[in-house]
């Protein structure tokens, strides 16, 4: 089992790190009380899931979880009808921080662990396959032919300058809204798209991006881009309204749909990333026939059929 | 009349510019209609105040003033009981941008124009006086002896490394809350503090910082710091709860009072600034006798007396 020790992370630490999305551990009053000894956090705190100890937190510190401030700054929106705003507002009033020792690789009981590559593993794969540039497609939906054209077209463009551009097809694998297609269905759909050759398996690597979906728009897309740099990505394809969501009152875009791409081109710490907006990438050629590769479509159709019959 | 042409601004433009506070011109539907010709903004738009044309805006562009998003991101708070939030929410639904040609120096009819120095003028003054380092004190209140000690103590500390540290005493001169002391009273109070020698006139330059007060806490303090770099400042004294305000429900700090100083030490683009938190600066010595220099106190007492008699 190969572990990500972070040693090879090509992120230049003399630049400010762009961490637009806080990654924090909110805890409740009860959890706080259970780990305090005297007036300090116990020297070692076990982090468990389903009674399995996954990590040890040392030198713990507890601080206020300023939830209202956090949602305003992170989402530019404080309405709990936004599902991720609601998650933050209903989480514990404290945050626990410290030095983490992760004891084992994080796995899930969903048969998809082979697709969970660490950033180091991805860089190793691209090295072995002789990639001289890597472009990434962030997605949380099934791949239709418009997407596929975009990725193929991006590769054509990169071939003008590079010998072997490779695609990191990187579906988001954490929490998504209930009406989004589940991860396992999406992975099978993506596999079918590759098996049919709509995306060439010789230059495509399918892996799961473990982040939850936060629907934080321009703030979140910076995290999506920054995280991929750690996996060796040089070119980030960004679409209209990335990480977007509808306004619960109007049904209109909550975020201005062009702000995501704009902010990527201006955010400190992302200057080494080549940002490719959709419209540029898709400027040439016509989509392959049909809406979606047939076997890929069947996987989706079966999913919707089974959902309807429930 | 010396104009600020920006040519000498020592801000290194290869670093991202930290502009945490948007400086925008909101316009109403009526104003928008009046400057549109066909489907474009007229090539030259006059910006007036009291019927005097102060500037010409060329290559104008109109865009949505996303007021709810702006207040959430800028203030981390959307409640209109916050006075600056209220100002933004009640301003026009559009913003007008473009290239500005300022026709004349901005003056006010308050007898204080001599205190309105441009960044270039301030740098020139510090050069003429042979300052080898400049420290700034941002304030919107009268100077009491604790403040004065802090500034004197800061100078003592800087004298360990520099020959002639000079103080930019830089009271905020734009809009403030109604219950803050008015600018003209504060300027006279500051002059009295200098005249009494509590702050030595040989190393103190009193000038007005033209910004309005936005009470945006950690977001705003970055602007306060960045703006002073343009005036040649190297050392920024930051206190507890800078640019803070009370939460309208609880009366408690709206912003976490230590976040301002923390964010200054981490914000991209401010790394060239030496940030000096209050507690460090005030570590030695005892305050001068009394709460405030006597003549300075008289100015304030007269102001409050006249206010009470109204």
């Amino acid at each position: 089992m190969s572990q990500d020790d972070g040693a090879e992370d090509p992120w230049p630490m003399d630049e400010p790190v762009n961490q637009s999305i806080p990654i924090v551990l909110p805890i409740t009053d009860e959890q706080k009380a259970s780990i305090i000894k005297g007036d300090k956090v116990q020297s070692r705190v076990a982090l468990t899931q389903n009674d399995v100890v996954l990590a040890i937190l040392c030198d713990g510190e507890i601080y206020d979880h300023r939830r209202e401030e956090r949602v305003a700054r992170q989402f530019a929106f404080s309405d709990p009808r936004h599902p991720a705003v609601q998650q933050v507002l209903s989480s514990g009033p404290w945050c626990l921080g410290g030095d983490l020792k992760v004891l084992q690789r994080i796995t899930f009981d969903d048969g998809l662990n082979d697709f969970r590559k660490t950033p180091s593993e991805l860089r190793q794969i691209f090295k072995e396959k002789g990639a001289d540039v890597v472009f990434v497609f962030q997605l949380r939906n099934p791949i239709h032919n418009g997407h596929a054209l975009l990725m193929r077209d991006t590769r054509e463009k990169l071939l003008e300058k590079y010998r072997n551009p490779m695609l990191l097809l990187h579906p988001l694998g954490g929490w998504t809204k209930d009406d989004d297609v589940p991860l396992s269905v999406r992975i099978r759909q993506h596999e079918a798209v590759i098996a049919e050759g709509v995306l060439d398996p010789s230059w495509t690597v399918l892996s799961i991006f473990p982040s939850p979906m936060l629907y934080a728009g321009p703030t979140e897309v910076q995290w999506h881009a920054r995280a991929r740099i750690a996996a060796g990505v040089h070119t980030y394809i960004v679409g209209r309204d990335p990480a977007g969501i509808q306004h619960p009152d109007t049904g209109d875009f909550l975020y201005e749909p062009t702000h995501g791409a704009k902010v990527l081109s201006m955010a400190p710490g992302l200057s080494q990333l080549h940002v490719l907006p959709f419209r540029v990438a898709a400027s040439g050629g016509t989509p392959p026939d049909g809406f979606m590769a047939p076997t890929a479509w069947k996987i989706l159709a079966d999913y919707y059929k089974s959902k309807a019959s429930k």
Side-chain angles (χ1 to χ4, degrees), chain A residues 178-207:
Chain A
D178 290 344
D179 54 351
D180 282 348
V181 178
L183 178 64
S184 60
V185 178
R186 285 185 281 131
I187 290 289
R188 278 184 287 129
Q189 196 268 352
H190 299 348
E191 285 190 293
V193 168
I194 295 169
E196 286 211 35
V198 176
L199 293 175
D200 189 323
S202 73
W203 49 259
T204 302
V205 173
L206 173 59
S207 179

Side-chain angles (χ1 to χ4, degrees), chain A residues 93-152:
Chain A
W94 309 99
C95 283
L96 172 63
D99 291 334
L100 268 191
K101 179 155 181 60
V102 180
L103 301 180
Q104 55 176 63
R105 194 180 179 110
I106 308 298
T107 56
F108 293 81
D109 198 16
D110 58 2
L112 300 175
N113 290 323
D114 284 351
F115 293 102
R116 294 194 167 89
K117 311 285 189 204
T118 68
S120 297
E121 287 168 355
L122 286 170
R123 286 200 302 276
Q124 187 59 35
I125 290 169
F126 293 127
K127 198 175 161 190
E128 284 165 14
K129 293 191 181 250
D132 55 349
V133 67
V134 179
F135 61 109
V136 66
F137 195 68
Q138 142 77 35
L139 71 174
R140 67 175 202 253
N141 289 309
I143 299 168
H144 57 68
N145 282 344
H147 289 149
L149 171 70
L150 178 74
M151 292 183 253
R152 284 156 52 168

Side-chain angles (χ1 to χ4, degrees), chain A residues 26-246:
Chain A
I27 57 173
T28 62
D29 285 324
E30 295 70 35
Q31 287 172 316
K32 183 187 172 201
S34 74
I35 59 173
I36 291 278
K37 199 175 180 176
D39 59 350
K40 292 190 75 174
V41 179
Q42 293 191 353
S43 59
R44 289 152 50 93
V45 176
L47 303 184
T48 65
Q49 189 168 44
N50 304 329
D51 295 328
V52 177
V53 178
L54 294 177
I56 304 289
L57 184 140
C58 303
D59 281 331
E61 239 182 306
I62 293 176
Y63 48 98
D64 271 357
H65 188 193
R66 299 176 61 84
R67 292 167 287 192
E68 289 76 17
E69 178 172 0
R70 177 177 165 196
V71 296
R73 293 201 191 277
Q74 182 175 335
F75 299 94
F77 194 63
S78 302
D79 189 319
R81 288 175 296 170
H82 183 300
V85 167
Q86 164 62 17
Q87 286 171 9
V88 173
L89 292 178
S90 61
S91 64
W94 309 99
C95 283
L96 172 63
D99 291 334
L100 268 191
K101 179 155 181 60
V102 180
L103 301 180
Q104 55 176 63
R105 194 180 179 110
I106 308 298
T107 56
F108 293 81
D109 198 16
D110 58 2
L112 300 175
N113 290 323
D114 284 351
F115 293 102
R116 294 194 167 89
K117 311 285 189 204
T118 68
S120 297
E121 287 168 355
L122 286 170
R123 286 200 302 276
Q124 187 59 35
I125 290 169
F126 293 127
K127 198 175 161 190
E128 284 165 14
K129 293 191 181 250
D132 55 349
V133 67
V134 179
F135 61 109
V136 66
F137 195 68
Q138 142 77 35
L139 71 174
R140 67 175 202 253
N141 289 309
I143 299 168
H144 57 68
N145 282 344
H147 289 149
L149 171 70
L150 178 74
M151 292 183 253
R152 284 156 52 168
D153 190 61
T154 301
R155 185 162 196 271
E156 288 305 312
K157 285 202 161 45
L158 289 169
L159 275 172
E160 294 166 11
K161 283 210 262 178
Y162 298 94
R163 200 182 29 77
N164 185 24
M166 288 198 66
L167 165 66
L168 172 58
L169 187 64
H170 217 194
L172 187 138
W175 175 88
T176 57
K177 284 189 281 121
D178 290 344
D179 54 351
D180 282 348
V181 178
L183 178 64
S184 60
V185 178
R186 285 185 281 131
I187 290 289
R188 278 184 287 129
Q189 196 268 352
H190 299 348
E191 285 190 293
V193 168
I194 295 169
E196 286 211 35
V198 176
L199 293 175
D200 189 323
S202 73
W203 49 259
T204 302
V205 173
L206 173 59
S207 179
I208 293 173
F209 179 50
S211 186
M213 191 68 210
L214 301 167
Y215 307 95
T219 304
E220 185 171 14
V221 75
Q222 297 171 64
W223 157 241
H224 288 175
R226 185 268 173 267
R228 270 56 177 256
I229 294 177
V233 165
H234 303 82
T235 296
Y236 188 88
I237 304 175
V238 61
R240 193 171 152 81
D241 196 32
I245 195 170
Q246 291 179 316

